[in-house]
Amino acid sequence: MLTPSKADCIAVLSAASRVANANESVRLNSSTLGLSRNSLDATAAFLMERDCFVRCEGAQGSYEVGGLSLQGKLRLEQLVYG
């Protein structure tokens, strides 16, 4: 598996951080996020394995995620500021 870039992780985590309600979710779209489909696949898989989202659904090319978990918030902060 490819290791996603810092910028790719920030893009995906930032999109998920905009989800305010626990019952809501956001569909991750590679063109909206400015990523290639392969980059989105690698980044989503990488972040899902690390439990960065409250909930996540989908498979290759189509992902829908809830807001950020505590781990996701910490990872986003670390990537942005550290």
Side-chain angles (χ1 to χ4, degrees):
M1 180 168 106
L2 299 173
T3 303
S5 72
K6 180 178 176 179
D8 293 349
C9 288
I10 290 171
V12 171
L13 291 170
S14 293
S17 72
R18 295 186 192 109
V19 176
N21 188 344
N23 297 327
E24 293 179 14
S25 61
V26 64
R27 181 172 297 277
L28 301 177
N29 184 333
S30 59
S31 60
T32 304
L33 295 172
L35 305 174
S36 70
R37 185 172 165 190
N38 289 339
S39 293
L40 177 59
D41 288 342
T43 303
F46 179 83
L47 295 172
M48 282 188 244
E49 287 175 357
R50 284 150 183 82
D51 294 323
C52 291
F53 307 109
V54 174
R55 98 185 124 73
C56 52
E57 297 176 20
Q60 211 141 12
S62 178
Y63 301 96
E64 193 167 315
V65 298
L68 295 178
S69 65
L70 178 58
Q71 176 66 25
K73 291 175 186 176
L74 293 172
R75 187 169 295 276
L76 178 59
E77 186 175 309
Q78 178 187 30
L79 291 168
V80 171
Y81 299 113

